[in-house]
């Protein structure tokens, strides 16, 4: 594998090699009904749940959008990026910087945030896609670190303490306000709509010709090129779409928190979203959302003094060990539990049959 | 997927149950105090010291403040401004605390101040020195028991001016706290007729100082003012001495350069002059009693962070005493917190209208492993609170 | 900037670069030979620094002995860690390695917090390396920094000698090119990997021990070293010791002179360098090879 790293097919092959991953465009059990039902349940939650609980759901939803955007790169195209947080951060910063002290209209602030993230994605993608395998991982990290240091060290973006959003964006026609994201209920449903949109958009993208081309690139890029596909434009397109969606997540995060900070672009954040994907299961959109839910709730759990008492301050230990256990035991994530158990059962049956015979 | 779909109602039920437990009692029952401090990472030791000091005061009052029991909720802020809003919401919205106490890192504290203003929660800050908190972000429900970054810097500048420094250089990390501290120094120095010829900065938290030390040596100023904390402070003082600069160019700084770091700095810090609102060996009855009680309770020596935690509890207690423990009388409570003088181990101090201590700044000299009191650098120094509308 | 200052800055750049090389050499070995992305490498550096602190009272001024003892302990630790944990990572893809070693960082940090606490500690340099020599009228240059640079150079030469001139080195190079063939030839590749891993950990720990009197020991000290090390390894070419040396010196110069001339942008400089190198030569400066 070390020698393969140079040829660059190692990462591509090995992602597909972790057993038969669910093909991301294949119909999963329940089809559209399961995500739709989940969306309805989440929409009804504000009537049952405390304000803190709603904030938690909101946070999970925003991270789910972030995770979904990375799923397009990692799960669908096989490109592992360790710098995806840069696009989240750029979307967030564009939101705050564009709002100024009076707030701004949703109509142009949202496109601005998404466009800013997409623009950086074009640059990073065009340059990084010249490298492969582990070098690609490192170059994406480098570009994210560059953005991080620009935001962290220079006065233009407020420095290491970050900047605050003083007025949340609104959408108004004439003098009537249609949507005011400062209103908690409005924000809740806006985020939910955004999540549903992202999920549906990526699902449709993957079911299209474009998505199938990405799948082909993931499985064997050389064969795709031999078949006449210019693979780089496809990869770049995937990279930019993923970056744009991460920018959307950044916009929502900035509005929800009312503050942005350079740590949004740090490699820890990029690592966290990769963890979400692997928790949920790579190669599945439901897995991405499930991973976001799991990771956020786990972190809440381990840091909660009410539930874990004296262990709470040592959350780094408990979280670290849990991650190791998860990644080691469930390489296909939570979504893959069913398949893994079935494979185990089949193996056991086959062995029993052999022993009996 | 079945199990996932079934989980949602269970989650909702659990959250509902948790929410109902957190009902706020305004006039009876225990006071809920939310401690948001760094319990992991670089500033963990400071977080522990602050909590120890706070709890020591409460213990001295018999475990009650304003006649009511105290219930603590803790959140580790990891000194991460990015997670600050989520973390402070855990205390405000999940645990429904009555009072927020925190934190060390200024970036996190700014987020806490914003959340406190948005939710009208009481906030007592036991360290973070960001000028903005008692500046543009000041509010009647926000009080600080520590200092503003400007204060120790200004005091040091005054001392430097008195010592005849005409050309000085400053060096710090490129972040708000560093900028505010060096600004204070510059103002104090200019009052004494000196000026700062160059401000050196390096990105936070980079600690490779050699290049900048060479720059200092090349410029040959009369003195250098440095603002670093924690590991950075240790390394800088050691590197400065190793380069032989401490023999010809005196190094000044706020107390953070030498507080809690002397064991690590050793000989390199000896005889250094710093300014701070506290000195370990202040020979007053209050300080001696405090140090003794702290040592007995926690088997270690207190530092300025412990004092700040102790005074945070004291300020809160002053307010609660005035309203008889009735948190609903918010205006009276806030006013009492500000108006009552604080009998601190650092000496008596009062609070400005903006909520920042008006206190004596002491000049200290490093001797052995202690910062020893030498003289009062500036008496009753008040932060200018620029931008505060109170 | 006059000539004297310029020369001193060059000296600073070289010294920083050489210390980086020591940490990066371990990382490039592990990365290059075994194909494992190890994000916990910074934790080994921290381990070395804390070892220097812990062993100081036992060895006093016998500094070199202390270094040897620390390196031996670190190597044993690395050997056991490889056997218990890392050997399971070879079959996994890079993503899983990244995440597993990231979790390891969390675990190490917390263990450090529980075992040694969160205070900042100083490690004194041995008295026979105290003081410095004057650089004209400018400033003093500490002898300890000279020692640190010299030690790094000695290790670099030793590393080169081992890898190029010994049987072990030959097996390492062979194992890097074709693992299965080497196994087929009767070499116990698992033990070989274990030795290489222990060596990598020892190198990082040695760097931490040497750096401890300069930087003191404090929580999270591995984090800043880690990312820069990856940059060095990637610029130099994964698996190439010579590449790591060249890259470390480059990074040392960019960092030092960047601080002096571009204070605000110096943080960006190193990553800009990495991006430029990778776009020009996607596999680093020195391709596979030593």
């Amino acid at each position: 594998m070390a020698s393969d790293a140079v040829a660059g097919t190692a990462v591509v092959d090995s992602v597909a090699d972790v057993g038969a991953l669910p093909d991301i465009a294949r119909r999963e059990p329940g089809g559209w009904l399961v995500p739709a039902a989940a969306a309805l349940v989440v929409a009804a939650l504000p009537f049952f749940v405390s304000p803190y609980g709603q904030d938690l759901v909101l946070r999970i939803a925003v991270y789910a959008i972030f995770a979904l955007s990375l799923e397009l790169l990692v799960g669908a195209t096989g490109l592992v990026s360790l710098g995806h947080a840069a696009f989240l951060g750029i979307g967030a910063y564009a939101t705050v910087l564009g709002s100024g002290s009076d707030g701004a209209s949703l109509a142009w602030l949202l496109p601005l945030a998404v466009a800013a993230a997409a623009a950086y994605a074009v640059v990073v993608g065009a340059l990084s896609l010249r490298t492969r395998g582990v070098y690609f991982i490192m170059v994406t990290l480098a570009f994210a670190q560059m953005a991080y240091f620009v935001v962290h060290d220079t006065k233009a973006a407020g420095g290491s303490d970050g900047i605050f959003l003083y007025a949340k964006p609104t959408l108004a026609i004439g003098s009537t306000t249609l949507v005011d994201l400062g209103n908690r209920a409005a924000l809740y449903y806006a985020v939910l709509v955004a999540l549903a949109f992202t999920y549906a958009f990526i699902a449709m993208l993957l079911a299209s010709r474009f998505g199938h081309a990405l799948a082909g690139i993931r499985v064997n890029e050389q064969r795709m090129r031999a078949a006449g596909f210019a693979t780089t434009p496809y990869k770049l397109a995937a990279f930019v779409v993923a970056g744009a969606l991460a920018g959307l997540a950044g916009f929502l995060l900035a509005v929800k928190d009312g503050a942005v900070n350079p740590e949004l672009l740090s490699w820890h954040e990029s690592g966290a979203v990769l963890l979400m994907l692997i928790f949920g299961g790579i190669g599945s959109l439901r897995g991405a959302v499930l991973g976001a839910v799991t990771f956020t709730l786990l972190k809440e759990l381990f840091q909660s003094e009410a539930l874990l008492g004296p262990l709470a301050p040592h959350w780094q230990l408990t979280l670290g060990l849990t991650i190791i256990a998860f990644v080691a035991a469930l390489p296909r994530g939570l979504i893959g539990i069913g398949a893994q158990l079935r494979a185990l059962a089949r193996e056991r049956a086959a062995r029993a049959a052999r022993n009996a015979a | 997927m079945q199990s996932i779909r079934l989980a949602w109602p269970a989650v909702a039920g659990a959250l509902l149950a948790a929410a109902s437990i957190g009902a706020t009692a305004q006039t009876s029952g225990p006071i809920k105090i939310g401690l948001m401090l760094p319990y992991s990472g670089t500033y963990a030791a400071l977080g522990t010291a602050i909590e120890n000091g706070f709890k020591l005061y409460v213990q001295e009052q018999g475990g009650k403040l304003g006649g009511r029991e105290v219930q603590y909720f803790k959140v580790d802020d990891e000194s991460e401004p990015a997670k600050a809003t989520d973390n402070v919401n855990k205390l405000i919205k999940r645990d429904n605390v009555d009072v927020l106490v925190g934190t060390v890192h200024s970036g996190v504290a700014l987020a806490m101040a914003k959340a406190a203003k948005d939710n009208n929660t009481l906030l007592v800050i036991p360290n973070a020195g960001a000028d903005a908190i008692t500046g543009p972000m000041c509010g009647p429900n926000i009080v600080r028991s520590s200092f503003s970054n400007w204060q120790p810097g200004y005091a040091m500048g005054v001392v430097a001016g008195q010592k005849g420094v005409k050309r000085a250089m400053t060096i710090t990390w490129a972040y708000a706290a560093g900028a505010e501290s060096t600004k204070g120094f510059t103002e104090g120095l200019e009052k004494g007729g000196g000026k700062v010829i160059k401000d050196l900065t390096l990105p936070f938290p980079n600690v490779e100082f050699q290049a900048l030390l060479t720059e200092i040596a090349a410029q040959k100023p009369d003195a250098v003012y440095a603002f670093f904390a924690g590991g950075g402070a240790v390394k800088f003082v050691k590197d400065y001495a190793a380069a032989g600069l401490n023999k010809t160019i005196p190094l000044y700084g706020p107390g953070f350069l030498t507080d809690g770091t002397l064991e690590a700095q050793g000989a390199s810090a000896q005889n250094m002059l710093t300014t701070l609102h506290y000195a370990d060996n202040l020979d007053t009855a209050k300080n001696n009693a405090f140090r003794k009680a702290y040592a007995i309770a926690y088997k270690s020596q207190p530092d300025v962070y412990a004092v700040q935690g102790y005074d945070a509890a004291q300020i809160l207690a002053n307010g609660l005493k005035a309203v008889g423990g009735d948190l609903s009388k918010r205006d009276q409570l806030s006013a009492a917190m500000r108006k009552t003088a604080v009998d601190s181990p650092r000496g008596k101090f009062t609070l400005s209208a903006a909520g920042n201590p008006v206190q004596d700044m002491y000049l200290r000299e490093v001797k052995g492993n202690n910062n020893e009191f030498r003289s009062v650098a500036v008496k009753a120094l008040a932060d200018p609170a620029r931008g505060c509308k109170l | 900037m006059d000539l004297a200052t310029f020369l001193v800055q060059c000296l600073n750049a070289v010294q920083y670069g050489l210390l980086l090389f020591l940490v990066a050499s371990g990382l490039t070995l592990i990365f290059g030979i075994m194909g494992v992305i190890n994000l916990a490498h910074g934790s080994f550096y921290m381990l070395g620094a804390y070892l220097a602190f812990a062993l100081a009272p036992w060895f006093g001024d016998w500094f070199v002995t202390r270094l040897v003892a620390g390196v031996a302990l670190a190597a044993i630790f690395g050997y056991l860690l490889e056997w218990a944990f890392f050997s399971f990572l070879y079959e996994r893809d890079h993503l899983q390695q990244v995440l597993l070693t990231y979790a390891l960082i969390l675990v190490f940090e917390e263990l450090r917090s529980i075992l040694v606490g969160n205070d900042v500690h100083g490690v004194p340099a041995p008295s026979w390396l105290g003081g410095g020599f004057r650089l004209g009228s400018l400033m003093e240059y500490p002898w300890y920094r000279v020692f640190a640079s010299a030690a790094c150079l000695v290790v670099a030469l030793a590393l080169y000698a081992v890898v190029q001139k010994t049987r072990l080195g030959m097996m390492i190079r062979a194992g890097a090119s074709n693992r299965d063939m080497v196994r087929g030839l009767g070499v116990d590749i698992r033990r070989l990997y274990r030795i290489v891993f222990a060596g990598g950990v020892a190198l990082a720990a040695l760097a931490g021990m040497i750096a401890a009197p300069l930087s003191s020991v404090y929580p999270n000290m591995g984090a800043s070293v880690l990312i820069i090390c990856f940059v060095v390894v990637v610029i130099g070419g994964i698996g190439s010791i010579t590449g790591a040396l060249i890259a470390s010196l480059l990074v040392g110069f960019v960092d030092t002179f960047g601080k002096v001339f571009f204070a605000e942008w110096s943080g960006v400089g190193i990553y800009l360098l990495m991006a430029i190198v990778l776009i020009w030569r996607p596999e680093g400066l020195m391709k596979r090879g030593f």
Side-chain angles (χ1 to χ4, degrees):
Chain A
M1 188 135 127
S3 50
D4 279 340
V6 175
T9 50
V11 176
V12 174
D13 281 348
S14 56
V15 170
D17 272 348
V18 182
L21 278 175
D23 180 355
I24 200 168
R26 191 198 67 190
R27 273 183 71 80
E28 298 187 66
W32 282 106
L33 288 178
V34 172
L40 280 174
V41 171
V42 176
L45 275 179
F47 300 104
F48 303 103
V49 154
S50 73
Y52 178 71
Q54 288 172 41
D55 269 356
L56 193 57
V57 173
L58 215 55
R59 195 183 345 153
I60 293 176
V62 174
Y63 276 109
I65 299 178
F66 187 34
L68 281 170
S69 72
L70 188 60
E71 183 68 54
L72 182 61
L73 266 185
V74 178
T77 324
L79 292 170
V80 178
S81 163
L82 198 48
H84 207 59
F87 309 116
L88 178 81
I90 288 177
Y93 266 88
T95 310
V96 177
L97 290 170
S99 289
S101 46
D102 298 320
S105 168
L106 200 53
W108 62 263
L109 193 60
L110 174 54
L112 173 72
V114 172
Y120 195 57
V122 170
V123 173
V124 176
L127 296 171
S128 330
L129 286 169
R130 292 164 54 101
T131 59
R132 298 219 138 69
V134 73
Y135 292 95
F136 177 76
I137 300 179
M138 291 289 126
V139 175
T140 50
L141 174 63
F143 277 109
Q145 288 291 97
M146 277 201 282
Y148 172 80
F149 279 109
V150 168
V151 165
H152 185 273
D153 291 343
T154 60
K155 294 194 191 57
S160 63
D161 287 335
I163 34 183
F164 286 104
L165 180 66
Y166 289 103
K168 308 223 171 161
T170 57
L171 183 61
I173 295 187
S175 53
T176 40
T177 313
L178 291 173
V179 177
D180 176 15
L181 289 181
N183 176 303
R184 203 207 286 129
L187 182 60
Y188 188 89
Y189 290 107
V191 171
L192 204 52
V193 165
L195 176 57
F197 163 77
T198 308
Y199 192 99
F201 178 70
I202 297 184
M204 288 192 301
L205 201 63
L206 293 176
S208 71
R209 227 177 98 92
F210 177 72
H212 285 123
L214 291 181
I217 292 172
R218 182 188 84 232
V219 174
N220 195 325
E221 189 175 345
Q222 274 175 316
R223 191 166 55 191
M224 287 294 284
R225 269 187 278 146
F229 274 87
T231 54
T232 310
Y234 280 93
K235 290 196 286 187
L236 183 59
F239 198 89
V240 173
V241 172
L245 289 171
L248 170 65
F251 169 82
L252 293 169
L253 197 59
V255 175
K256 163 180 133 23
D257 279 344
V260 289
N261 185 273
E263 296 308 312
L264 283 177
L265 294 103
S266 79
W267 64 276
H268 287 280
E269 201 72 27
S270 299
V273 66
L274 281 174
L275 271 171
M276 291 180 205
L277 286 190
I278 220 177
F279 272 11
I282 298 189
S284 157
L285 292 181
R286 295 183 193 179
V289 177
L290 195 54
V293 174
T294 314
F295 184 74
T296 314
L297 287 179
L298 268 180
K299 205 140 184 254
E300 276 288 302
L301 171 69
F302 287 134
Q303 290 183 317
S304 156
E305 240 199 321
L307 294 169
L308 284 181
L311 264 181
H314 302 296
W315 60 270
Q316 282 187 314
L317 186 61
T318 39
L319 184 63
L321 290 173
T322 307
I323 294 174
I324 293 176
F326 237 102
V327 178
L330 294 174
R332 277 189 253 157
L334 289 171
I335 281 287
I337 285 184
Q340 225 171 320
L341 287 175
R342 266 173 285 153
L344 253 168
R346 247 179 290 139
E347 226 185 272
R348 221 168 270 157
R351 227 182 303 141
R354 258 181 282 134
N355 289 343
Chain B
M1 282 320 272
Q2 301 280 49
S3 50
I4 309 296
R5 260 189 290 172
L6 283 172
W8 283 112
V11 170
L15 289 168
L16 177 64
S20 57
I21 295 173
T24 323
Q26 291 282 332
T27 54
S28 61
I31 299 181
K32 294 177 173 185
I33 299 192
L35 294 171
M36 184 156 144
L37 294 166
Y39 291 108
S40 61
T42 340
Y43 294 133
L46 281 60
T48 314
I50 290 173
E51 184 180 345
N52 287 348
F54 192 95
K55 288 190 170 164
L56 181 64
Y57 183 82
V58 175
Q59 199 190 315
E60 285 178 356
Q61 310 308 307
K64 293 193 186 185
L65 290 180
R68 291 168 66 175
E69 296 280 329
V70 174
Q71 193 185 1
Y72 295 106
F73 293 88
K74 301 208 289 199
V75 163
D76 178 2
D77 69 21
E78 303 166 52
S79 297
E80 279 269 11
K83 301 181 189 152
T85 316
D86 284 332
N87 280 330
V88 74
N89 279 333
K90 281 184 199 170
L91 289 169
I92 297 180
K93 297 192 183 160
R94 182 187 68 183
D95 301 327
N96 291 302
V97 296
D98 301 311
V99 183
L100 273 175
V101 177
T103 175
V104 172
H105 188 288
S106 279
V108 178
L110 282 168
M112 286 180 78
K114 184 157 193 296
K117 284 187 95 167
D118 289 343
N119 292 284
N120 198 22
T121 315
L122 269 177
L123 172 61
V124 183
I125 301 173
N127 188 69
D131 288 349
I133 292 176
T134 50
M137 291 213 63
C138 68
N141 56 332
I142 299 177
V143 154
R144 184 151 54 185
S145 70
S146 52
F147 58 96
S148 71
N149 289 325
W150 181 92
Q151 282 174 313
Y154 182 83
M156 197 70 236
V158 166
V159 170
Q162 284 165 353
K163 287 193 180 297
V165 170
K166 290 284 173 259
R167 295 168 64 247
M169 284 174 83
T170 66
I171 177 168
T172 181
W173 280 317
Y175 66 157
E180 290 167 359
S181 189
T182 49
K183 185 158 186 292
F185 175 79
T186 310
E187 281 184 36
L189 183 63
E190 280 170 359
K191 249 185 121 206
K195 72 183 207 6
V196 171
I197 55 171
K198 196 161 185 201
D199 290 304
L200 296 174
T201 59
L202 71 167
F204 175 79
N206 199 306
V207 289
E208 287 303 316
F209 302 115
Q210 281 301 108
L212 296 177
L213 287 173
T214 311
E215 192 45 25
I216 291 175
Q219 299 279 348
K220 296 196 191 359
D222 298 331
V224 169
Y225 176 82
F227 175 80
F228 294 105
V234 172
K235 186 160 196 284
F236 183 77
V237 171
K238 286 176 76 169
D239 283 354
Y240 194 84
L245 291 172
N246 60 341
K247 299 191 193 126
T248 48
I249 307 175
L251 176 62
Y252 299 136
F256 308 108
L257 210 53
T258 56
D259 238 83
T261 54
L262 286 174
E263 177 246 322
Q265 285 161 336
S268 56
Q270 293 306 305
N271 305 319
M272 260 185 70
L273 292 176
T274 57
T275 48
L276 196 64
H277 46 288
Y278 184 67
D280 294 327
N281 67 333
L282 274 177
D283 193 12
T284 61
K286 181 77 189 178
N287 191 36
N288 292 333
F290 167 76
R291 291 191 79 87
K292 194 154 164 224
Y294 190 96
I296 293 174
Y298 302 109
K299 318 264 179 300
S300 59
Q301 288 299 316
D303 51 21
V304 62
Y305 304 105
V307 172
Q308 289 166 180
Y310 185 86
D311 289 338
Q314 205 175 152
I315 293 175
L316 183 59
N318 287 342
L320 285 169
K321 214 181 302 179
V323 294
D326 186 355
L327 285 160
S328 60
K329 297 189 187 145
R330 175 60 76 78
D331 292 335
Q332 225 179 316
L333 174 60
S334 299
M337 279 169 71
R338 268 185 171 57
K339 298 251 178 355
T340 323
V342 183
D343 182 18
S344 163
R346 72 183 92 166
K348 282 204 176 36
F349 69 87
T350 55
L351 288 164
S352 67
N356 202 53
V358 177
Q359 55 195 341
D360 293 343
M361 286 283 146
Y362 304 116
L363 181 64
R364 310 111 44 91
E365 188 180 350
V366 175
K367 279 268 178 281
N369 268 358
N370 282 321
N371 287 290
E372 292 187 356
F373 169 79
R374 283 286 166 268
S375 63
V376 177
V378 180
K379 233 182 152 20
L381 180 61
D383 175 86
R386 298 183 181 116
C388 178
K389 297 188 178 61
L390 283 178
Chain C
M1 179 183 276
D2 62 2
L3 184 64
T5 317
F6 175 74
L7 286 176
V8 175
Q9 296 289 28
C10 287
L11 195 57
N12 293 332
V14 167
Q15 184 256 303
Y16 176 52
L18 282 175
L19 203 56
L20 264 186
F21 164 72
L22 205 54
V23 193
S25 59
L27 186 63
T28 205
L29 269 182
I30 295 174
F31 210 165
I33 311 299
M34 296 177 290
V36 174
I37 300 185
N38 176 25
L39 286 181
H41 203 69
S43 304
F44 303 144
Y45 171 82
M46 179 184 74
L47 171 71
Y50 274 90
L51 266 177
F53 169 66
L55 293 175
W58 296 43
F59 286 89
D61 255 4
W62 294 45
F63 193 64
V64 182
T65 328
R66 195 200 314 174
L67 285 181
V68 171
V71 166
L73 284 172
I76 295 173
F77 173 74
Y79 198 86
L80 292 172
L81 187 63
E82 200 277 356
W83 169 76
F85 184 80
F86 276 87
S87 48
F88 301 107
L89 292 184
Y90 304 139
E91 282 88 50
R92 308 247 175 192
D93 62 52
H94 287 307
L95 176 57
Q96 296 185 356
Q97 291 171 3
V98 163
L99 299 174
L100 283 168
T101 51
Y102 177 73
L104 209 57
I105 300 179
L106 294 177
V107 171
F108 281 145
E109 267 302 311
E110 197 56 45
L111 285 177
R112 191 254 328 129
S113 171
I114 295 174
L115 292 172
V116 190
N118 291 312
D119 295 318
V120 182
H121 294 289
V123 179
S127 52
W128 51 274
L129 281 172
F133 58 95
R134 290 214 66 83
L135 291 169
S137 63
L138 202 56
M139 56 195 279
E140 265 181 36
Y141 199 78
W143 280 117
Y144 189 78
R145 283 188 184 262
V146 179
F147 167 79
S149 304
C152 296
L153 273 174
V154 165
V155 172
L157 289 170
L159 210 52
Y160 181 79
V162 165
V163 167
Q164 294 289 12
K165 310 278 181 202
T166 65
R167 243 182 96 80
L168 175 65
M170 182 185 69
M171 286 195 281
I172 290 175
R173 279 179 287 136
S177 321
N178 196 326
R179 184 179 179 169
D180 295 312
M181 182 62 89
V182 170
R183 197 194 268 140
L185 287 171
V187 176
D188 183 355
I189 199 119
R190 301 223 81 146
R191 238 189 77 218
L192 181 66
Y193 277 16
R194 210 155 286 160
I195 292 175
V196 171
F197 189 83
V201 173
L203 281 169
L206 178 62
M209 295 192 80
I210 292 181
L214 293 173
S215 67
S216 67
V217 297
Y218 53 94
N220 266 326
M221 64 186 296
S224 48
V225 171
L226 174 70
I227 289 285
I228 301 193
C229 262
F230 267 100
V231 172
V232 165
V233 166
V234 172
I235 290 178
I238 297 177
S240 164
I241 306 261
T242 337
L245 185 57
I246 298 176
S248 322
L249 291 171
L250 264 177
V251 167
F253 273 89
V254 168
D255 187 73
T256 304
F257 284 95
K259 272 208 198 81
V260 180
F261 290 123
F262 303 107
E264 265 195 352
W265 298 85
S266 60
V268 182
I270 299 174
Y271 299 98
L272 203 55
L273 174 67
M274 171 158 130
I276 292 172
V277 168
L278 282 181
I279 284 151
W280 168 50
R281 277 175 152 241
E283 273 144 31
L285 290 175
M286 321 275 313
K287 285 203 185 186
R288 302 202 55 74
F290 283 77

